[in-house]
Coordinates of all heavy atoms in Angstrom, one line a residue:
M703 N 156.9 129.3 62.0 CA 156.5 130.4 62.7 C 156.3 130.1 64.2 O 156.7 130.9 65.0 CB 155.3 131.0 62.1 CG 154.9 132.4 62.5 SD 153.6 133.0 61.5 CE 153.7 134.7 61.9
I704 N 155.6 129.0 64.4 CA 155.4 128.6 65.8 C 156.7 128.3 66.5 O 157.0 128.6 67.6 CB 154.4 127.4 65.9 CG1 153.0 127.9 65.4 CG2 154.3 126.8 67.3 CD1 152.0 126.8 65.3
G705 N 157.6 127.6 65.7 CA 158.9 127.2 66.3 C 159.7 128.4 66.7 O 160.3 128.4 67.7
R706 N 159.7 129.4 65.8 CA 160.4 130.7 66.2 C 159.9 131.3 67.4 O 160.6 131.7 68.3 CB 160.4 131.6 65.0 CG 161.2 132.9 65.3 CD 161.1 133.9 64.1 NE 161.8 135.1 64.4 CZ 163.0 135.5 64.1 NH1 163.7 134.6 63.3 NH2 163.5 136.6 64.4
A707 N 158.5 131.3 67.5 CA 157.9 131.9 68.7 C 158.3 131.2 70.0 O 158.6 131.8 71.0 CB 156.4 132.0 68.6
L708 N 158.4 129.9 69.9 CA 158.8 129.1 71.0 C 160.2 129.3 71.4 O 160.5 129.4 72.6 CB 158.6 127.6 70.7 CG 157.1 127.1 70.6 CD1 157.0 125.7 70.1 CD2 156.4 127.3 71.9
V709 N 161.1 129.4 70.4 CA 162.5 129.7 70.7 C 162.6 131.1 71.3 O 163.4 131.3 72.2 CB 163.4 129.5 69.4 CG1 164.8 129.9 69.7 CG2 163.3 128.0 69.0
E710 N 161.9 132.1 70.8 CA 162.0 133.4 71.3 C 161.5 133.4 72.8 O 162.1 134.1 73.6 CB 161.1 134.4 70.5 CG 161.7 134.7 69.2 CD 160.7 135.6 68.3 OE1 159.6 135.8 68.7 OE2 161.2 136.0 67.2
D711 N 160.5 132.7 73.1 CA 160.0 132.6 74.4 C 161.1 132.0 75.3 O 161.3 132.4 76.4 CB 158.7 131.8 74.5 CG 158.1 131.8 75.9 OD1 157.9 132.9 76.4 OD2 157.8 130.7 76.4
L712 N 161.7 130.9 74.9 CA 162.8 130.3 75.6 C 163.9 131.2 75.8 O 164.5 131.3 76.9 CB 163.2 129.0 74.9 CG 164.2 128.1 75.6 CD1 163.6 127.5 76.8 CD2 164.6 127.0 74.6
A713 N 164.3 132.0 74.8 CA 165.4 132.9 74.9 C 165.1 134.0 76.0 O 165.9 134.3 76.8 CB 165.6 133.6 73.6
L714 N 163.8 134.4 76.0 CA 163.4 135.4 77.1 C 163.4 134.8 78.5 O 163.9 135.4 79.4 CB 162.1 136.0 76.7 CG 162.0 136.9 75.5 CD1 160.6 137.3 75.2 CD2 162.8 138.1 75.7
Q715 N 162.9 133.6 78.6 CA 162.9 132.9 79.9 C 164.3 132.7 80.5 O 164.4 132.8 81.7 CB 162.2 131.5 79.7 CG 160.7 131.6 79.5 CD 160.2 130.2 79.4 OE1 160.8 129.2 79.8 NE2 159.0 130.1 78.8
H716 N 165.2 132.5 79.6 CA 166.6 132.2 80.1 C 167.5 133.3 79.9 O 168.8 133.2 80.1 CB 167.1 130.9 79.4 CG 166.4 129.7 79.8 ND1 166.5 129.0 81.0 CD2 165.4 129.0 79.1 CE1 165.7 128.0 81.0 NE2 165.0 127.9 79.9
N717 N 167.0 134.5 79.6 CA 167.7 135.7 79.6 C 168.9 135.7 78.6 O 170.0 136.3 78.8 CB 168.3 136.2 80.9 CG 167.1 136.5 81.9 OD1 166.2 137.1 81.5 ND2 167.3 136.0 83.1
Y718 N 168.7 135.0 77.4 CA 169.7 135.1 76.4 C 169.7 136.5 75.8 O 168.6 137.1 75.6 CB 169.3 134.1 75.2 CG 169.7 132.7 75.5 CD1 168.8 131.8 76.2 CD2 170.9 132.2 75.1 CE1 169.1 130.5 76.4 CE2 171.2 130.8 75.3 CZ 170.3 130.0 76.0 OH 170.7 128.7 76.3
R719 N 170.8 137.0 75.5 CA 170.9 138.4 74.9 C 172.2 138.6 74.1 O 173.1 137.8 74.4 CB 170.7 139.5 76.0 CG 171.9 139.5 77.0 CD 171.7 140.6 78.0 NE 171.5 141.9 77.5 CZ 172.6 142.7 77.2 NH1 173.8 142.4 77.5 NH2 172.4 143.9 76.7
I720 N 172.1 139.5 73.2 CA 173.3 139.9 72.4 C 173.6 141.3 72.9 O 172.8 142.2 72.6 CB 173.0 139.8 70.9 CG1 172.5 138.4 70.5 CG2 174.2 140.3 70.1 CD1 173.6 137.3 70.7
G721 N 174.7 141.5 73.5 CA 175.1 142.8 74.0 C 175.5 143.8 72.8 O 175.7 143.3 71.7
D722 N 175.6 145.0 73.1 CA 176.0 146.0 72.1 C 177.3 145.7 71.5 O 177.5 145.8 70.3 CB 176.0 147.4 72.7 CG 174.6 147.9 73.1 OD1 173.6 147.3 72.6 OD2 174.5 148.8 73.9
Q723 N 178.3 145.4 72.3 CA 179.6 145.1 71.8 C 179.6 143.9 70.9 O 180.3 143.8 69.9 CB 180.7 145.0 72.9 CG 181.0 146.3 73.6 CD 182.0 146.1 74.7 OE1 182.2 145.0 75.2 NE2 182.6 147.2 75.1
Q724 N 178.9 142.8 71.3 CA 178.8 141.6 70.6 C 178.2 141.9 69.2 O 178.6 141.4 68.2 CB 178.1 140.5 71.3 CG 178.1 139.2 70.7 CD 177.4 138.1 71.5 OE1 176.9 138.4 72.6 NE2 177.5 136.9 71.1
L725 N 177.1 142.6 69.2 CA 176.4 143.0 68.0 C 177.3 143.8 67.0 O 177.3 143.5 65.9 CB 175.1 143.7 68.3 CG 174.3 144.1 67.1 CD1 173.8 142.9 66.3 CD2 173.1 145.1 67.5
A726 N 178.0 144.7 67.6 CA 178.9 145.6 66.7 C 179.9 144.7 66.1 O 180.3 144.8 64.9 CB 179.5 146.7 67.6
K727 N 180.5 143.7 66.9 CA 181.5 142.8 66.4 C 180.9 142.0 65.2 O 181.6 141.8 64.2 CB 182.0 142.0 67.5 CG 183.2 141.1 67.1 CD 183.7 140.3 68.3 CE 184.8 139.3 67.9 NZ 185.3 138.5 69.0
L728 N 179.7 141.4 65.5 CA 179.1 140.6 64.4 C 178.9 141.4 63.1 O 179.1 140.8 62.0 CB 177.8 140.0 64.9 CG 177.8 139.0 66.0 CD1 176.5 138.8 66.7 CD2 178.4 137.7 65.5
I729 N 178.4 142.6 63.3 CA 178.2 143.4 62.1 C 179.5 143.8 61.4 O 179.6 143.6 60.2 CB 177.3 144.6 62.5 CG1 175.9 144.2 62.8 CG2 177.3 145.7 61.3 CD1 175.1 145.4 63.4
K730 N 180.4 144.2 62.1 CA 181.7 144.6 61.5 C 182.5 143.5 60.9 O 183.2 143.7 59.9 CB 182.6 145.3 62.6 CG 182.0 146.7 62.9 CD 182.9 147.4 64.0 CE 182.3 148.8 64.2 NZ 183.1 149.5 65.2
Q731 N 182.3 142.3 61.4 CA 183.0 141.1 60.8 C 182.3 140.5 59.6 O 182.8 139.7 59.0 CB 183.2 140.1 61.9 CG 184.2 140.5 62.9 CD 184.4 139.4 64.0 OE1 183.7 138.5 64.2 NE2 185.6 139.6 64.7
S732 N 181.0 140.9 59.4 CA 180.3 140.3 58.3 C 180.8 140.8 57.0 O 181.0 142.0 56.7 CB 178.8 140.8 58.4 OG 178.1 140.3 57.3
P733 N 181.2 139.8 56.1 CA 181.7 140.2 54.8 C 180.8 141.0 53.9 O 181.2 141.8 53.1 CB 182.0 138.8 54.1 CG 182.0 137.8 55.2 CD 181.1 138.4 56.3
V734 N 179.5 141.0 54.2 CA 178.5 141.7 53.4 C 178.8 143.2 53.6 O 178.5 144.0 52.7 CB 177.1 141.4 53.9 CG1 176.0 142.3 53.3 CG2 176.8 139.9 53.7
F735 N 179.3 143.6 54.7 CA 179.5 145.1 55.0 C 180.9 145.5 54.8 O 181.3 146.6 55.4 CB 179.0 145.4 56.4 CG 177.6 144.9 56.7 CD1 177.3 144.1 57.8 CD2 176.6 145.2 55.8 CE1 176.1 143.6 58.0 CE2 175.3 144.7 56.1 CZ 175.0 143.9 57.2
Q736 N 181.7 144.7 54.2 CA 183.1 145.1 54.0 C 183.5 145.4 52.6 O 182.9 144.8 51.6 CB 184.0 143.9 54.5 CG 183.9 143.6 56.0 CD 184.7 142.5 56.5 OE1 185.5 142.0 55.8 NE2 184.6 142.2 57.8
I737 N 184.5 146.3 52.5 CA 185.1 146.5 51.2 C 186.6 146.4 51.4 O 187.2 146.9 52.3 CB 184.8 148.0 50.7 CG1 183.3 148.1 50.4 CG2 185.7 148.3 49.5 CD1 182.9 149.5 49.9
D738 N 187.2 145.5 50.6 CA 188.6 145.2 50.7 C 189.0 144.7 52.1 O 190.0 145.1 52.7 CB 189.5 146.4 50.4 CG 189.4 146.8 48.9 OD1 189.1 145.9 48.1 OD2 189.5 148.0 48.6
G739 N 188.1 143.9 52.7 CA 188.3 143.3 54.0 C 188.1 144.2 55.2 O 188.4 143.9 56.3
K740 N 187.6 145.4 55.0 CA 187.3 146.4 56.1 C 185.9 146.8 56.1 O 185.3 147.0 55.1 CB 188.2 147.6 55.9 CG 189.7 147.3 56.1 CD 190.5 148.6 56.1 CE 192.0 148.2 56.3 NZ 192.8 149.4 56.4
F741 N 185.4 147.0 57.3 CA 184.0 147.4 57.5 C 183.8 148.8 56.9 O 184.6 149.7 57.0 CB 183.6 147.4 59.0 CG 182.3 148.0 59.3 CD1 181.1 147.2 59.0 CD2 182.1 149.3 59.8 CE1 179.9 147.7 59.3 CE2 180.8 149.8 60.0 CZ 179.7 149.0 59.8
D742 N 182.7 148.9 56.1 CA 182.3 150.2 55.5 C 180.9 150.6 56.0 O 179.9 149.9 55.6 CB 182.4 150.0 54.0 CG 182.2 151.4 53.3 OD1 181.1 151.9 53.4 OD2 183.2 151.8 52.6
K743 N 180.9 151.6 56.8 CA 179.6 152.1 57.3 C 178.6 152.4 56.3 O 177.4 152.1 56.4 CB 179.8 153.3 58.2 CG 178.6 153.8 59.0 CD 178.9 154.9 59.9 CE 177.7 155.4 60.6 NZ 177.9 156.5 61.5
S744 N 179.0 153.0 55.2 CA 178.0 153.4 54.1 C 177.4 152.1 53.5 O 176.2 152.1 53.1 CB 178.6 154.3 53.1 OG 179.6 153.7 52.4
V745 N 178.2 151.1 53.3 CA 177.7 149.8 52.8 C 176.7 149.2 53.7 O 175.6 148.8 53.3 CB 178.9 148.8 52.5 CG1 178.3 147.4 52.2 CG2 179.8 149.3 51.4
Y746 N 177.0 149.3 55.0 CA 176.1 148.8 56.0 C 174.8 149.5 56.0 O 173.7 148.9 56.0 CB 176.8 148.9 57.4 CG 175.9 148.7 58.6 CD1 175.3 147.5 58.8 CD2 175.7 149.7 59.5 CE1 174.4 147.3 59.9 CE2 174.8 149.5 60.6 CZ 174.2 148.3 60.7 OH 173.4 148.1 61.8
E747 N 174.8 150.8 56.0 CA 173.6 151.6 56.0 C 172.8 151.5 54.7 O 171.6 151.4 54.8 CB 174.0 153.1 56.3 CG 174.5 153.3 57.7 CD 175.0 154.7 57.9 OE1 175.2 155.5 57.0 OE2 175.2 155.1 59.1
T748 N 173.5 151.3 53.6 CA 172.8 151.1 52.3 C 172.1 149.8 52.3 O 171.0 149.6 51.9 CB 173.8 151.2 51.2 OG1 174.3 152.5 51.2 CG2 173.1 151.0 49.8
Y749 N 172.8 148.8 52.8 CA 172.2 147.4 52.9 C 171.0 147.4 53.8 O 169.9 146.9 53.4 CB 173.2 146.4 53.4 CG 172.7 145.0 53.5 CD1 172.7 144.2 52.4 CD2 172.1 144.5 54.7 CE1 172.2 142.9 52.4 CE2 171.6 143.2 54.7 CZ 171.7 142.4 53.6 OH 171.1 141.2 53.6
A750 N 171.1 148.0 55.0 CA 169.9 148.0 55.9 C 168.7 148.7 55.2 O 167.6 148.2 55.3 CB 170.3 148.8 57.2
A751 N 169.0 149.9 54.5 CA 167.9 150.6 53.9 C 167.3 149.7 52.7 O 166.1 149.8 52.5 CB 168.4 151.9 53.3
S752 N 168.2 149.0 52.0 CA 167.7 148.2 50.9 C 166.8 147.1 51.4 O 166.0 146.6 50.6 CB 168.9 147.6 50.1 OG 169.5 146.6 50.8
Q753 N 166.9 146.7 52.6 CA 166.1 145.7 53.2 C 164.8 146.3 53.8 O 164.0 145.5 54.4 CB 166.9 144.9 54.3 CG 168.1 144.2 53.8 CD 167.8 143.1 52.7 OE1 166.9 142.3 52.9 NE2 168.4 143.2 51.6
G754 N 164.7 147.6 53.7 CA 163.5 148.2 54.3 C 163.6 148.6 55.7 O 162.5 148.8 56.4
Y755 N 164.8 148.6 56.3 CA 165.0 148.8 57.7 C 165.7 150.1 57.9 O 166.6 150.5 57.2 CB 165.8 147.7 58.4 CG 165.2 146.4 58.4 CD1 165.7 145.3 57.7 CD2 164.1 146.1 59.2 CE1 165.1 144.1 57.7 CE2 163.5 144.9 59.3 CZ 164.0 143.9 58.5 OH 163.4 142.6 58.6
S756 N 165.4 150.8 59.1 CA 166.3 151.9 59.5 C 167.5 151.1 60.2 O 167.4 149.9 60.4 CB 165.6 152.7 60.6 OG 165.4 152.0 61.8
K757 N 168.5 151.9 60.5 CA 169.7 151.2 61.1 C 169.3 150.6 62.4 O 169.7 149.5 62.7 CB 170.8 152.3 61.3 CG 172.1 151.8 61.9 CD 173.1 152.9 62.0 CE 174.0 152.5 63.2 NZ 174.5 153.7 63.9
N758 N 168.5 151.3 63.2 CA 168.0 150.7 64.5 C 167.2 149.5 64.3 O 167.3 148.5 65.1 CB 167.3 151.7 65.3 CG 168.2 152.8 65.9 OD1 169.4 152.6 66.0 ND2 167.6 154.0 66.2
Q759 N 166.3 149.5 63.4 CA 165.4 148.3 63.1 C 166.3 147.1 62.7 O 166.1 146.0 63.1 CB 164.4 148.6 62.0 CG 163.3 149.6 62.5 CD 162.5 150.0 61.3 OE1 163.0 150.3 60.2 NE2 161.1 150.1 61.5
F760 N 167.3 147.4 61.8 CA 168.1 146.3 61.3 C 168.9 145.7 62.5 O 169.0 144.5 62.6 CB 169.1 146.9 60.2 CG 170.0 145.8 59.7 CD1 169.5 145.0 58.6 CD2 171.3 145.6 60.2 CE1 170.3 144.0 58.1 CE2 172.1 144.6 59.6 CZ 171.6 143.8 58.6
E761 N 169.4 146.6 63.4 CA 170.2 146.1 64.5 C 169.3 145.3 65.5 O 169.7 144.3 66.0 CB 170.9 147.2 65.2 CG 172.0 147.8 64.4 CD 172.7 149.0 65.0 OE1 172.3 149.5 66.1 OE2 173.6 149.5 64.3
Q762 N 168.0 145.7 65.7 CA 167.1 144.9 66.5 C 166.9 143.6 65.9 O 166.8 142.6 66.6 CB 165.8 145.7 66.7 CG 165.9 146.9 67.6 CD 164.6 147.7 67.7 OE1 163.8 147.6 66.8 NE2 164.5 148.4 68.8
N763 N 166.7 143.5 64.6 CA 166.4 142.3 63.9 C 167.7 141.4 64.0 O 167.6 140.2 64.2 CB 166.0 142.5 62.4 CG 165.5 141.3 61.7 OD1 164.8 140.6 62.3 ND2 165.9 141.2 60.5
A764 N 168.8 141.9 63.8 CA 170.1 141.2 63.8 C 170.3 140.6 65.3 O 170.7 139.5 65.5 CB 171.3 142.0 63.4
R765 N 170.0 141.5 66.2 CA 170.1 141.0 67.6 C 169.2 139.9 67.9 O 169.6 138.9 68.5 CB 169.8 142.2 68.5 CG 170.2 142.0 70.0 CD 169.8 143.2 70.8 NE 170.3 144.5 70.4 CZ 171.5 145.0 70.8 NH1 172.3 144.4 71.6 NH2 171.9 146.2 70.3
A766 N 167.9 140.0 67.5 CA 167.0 138.9 67.7 C 167.4 137.6 67.0 O 167.3 136.5 67.6 CB 165.6 139.3 67.2
N767 N 167.8 137.7 65.7 CA 168.2 136.5 65.0 C 169.4 135.9 65.7 O 169.5 134.6 65.7 CB 168.6 136.9 63.5 CG 167.3 137.2 62.8 OD1 166.2 136.7 63.1 ND2 167.5 137.9 61.7
N768 N 170.4 136.6 66.1 CA 171.6 136.1 66.8 C 171.3 135.5 68.1 O 171.8 134.5 68.5 CB 172.7 137.1 66.8 CG 173.4 137.3 65.5 OD1 174.2 136.4 65.1 ND2 173.1 138.3 64.8
R769 N 170.3 136.1 68.8 CA 169.9 135.5 70.1 C 169.2 134.2 69.9 O 169.5 133.2 70.6 CB 168.9 136.5 70.8 CG 168.5 136.0 72.2 CD 167.5 137.0 72.9 NE 166.3 137.2 72.1 CZ 165.9 138.4 71.7 NH1 166.6 139.5 71.9 NH2 164.8 138.5 71.0
L770 N 168.4 134.1 68.8 CA 167.8 132.8 68.5 C 168.8 131.7 68.1 O 168.7 130.6 68.5 CB 166.7 132.9 67.4 CG 165.5 133.8 67.8 CD1 164.6 133.9 66.6 CD2 164.8 133.3 69.0
A771 N 169.8 132.2 67.4 CA 170.9 131.2 67.0 C 171.7 130.8 68.3 O 172.1 129.6 68.4 CB 171.9 131.9 66.0
Q772 N 171.8 131.7 69.2 CA 172.5 131.3 70.5 C 171.7 130.3 71.2 O 172.3 129.3 71.7 CB 172.6 132.6 71.3 CG 173.6 132.7 72.4 CD 173.6 134.0 73.1 OE1 172.5 134.5 73.6 NE2 174.7 134.7 73.2
V773 N 170.4 130.4 71.3 CA 169.5 129.4 71.9 C 169.7 128.1 71.2 O 169.9 127.0 71.8 CB 168.1 129.8 72.0 CG1 167.2 128.7 72.5 CG2 167.9 131.1 72.8
A774 N 169.6 128.1 69.9 CA 169.6 126.9 69.1 C 171.0 126.2 69.3 O 171.0 124.9 69.4 CB 169.4 127.2 67.6
A775 N 172.1 126.9 69.3 CA 173.4 126.4 69.5 C 173.5 125.7 70.9 O 174.1 124.7 71.1 CB 174.5 127.4 69.4
G776 N 172.8 126.3 71.9 CA 172.8 125.8 73.2 C 172.2 124.4 73.3 O 172.5 123.6 74.2
Y777 N 171.2 124.2 72.5 CA 170.5 122.9 72.5 C 171.1 121.9 71.5 O 170.6 120.8 71.4 CB 169.0 123.1 72.2 CG 168.3 123.6 73.5 CD1 168.2 125.0 73.7 CD2 167.9 122.8 74.4 CE1 167.5 125.5 74.8 CE2 167.3 123.2 75.6 CZ 167.1 124.6 75.8 OH 166.5 125.0 76.9
S778 N 172.0 122.3 70.7 CA 172.6 121.4 69.7 C 173.6 120.5 70.3 O 174.3 120.7 71.2 CB 173.3 122.2 68.6 OG 172.3 122.9 67.8

């Protein structure tokens, strides 16, 4: 938990971000949200709801997780 907070702080200090287009691409390419190899919006929305998130909350969480991954990759 402390490690995540430190990485989040570092991401903010260095202006790491995941733009709208990048986030959309990550979501659409995720096999979890695909049927027969194509993005399915209803699968995406159902998945987000099953995790207890609204679509906006899910996207904010995905954006934060990917931003942290970006920081970690930068230091690897």
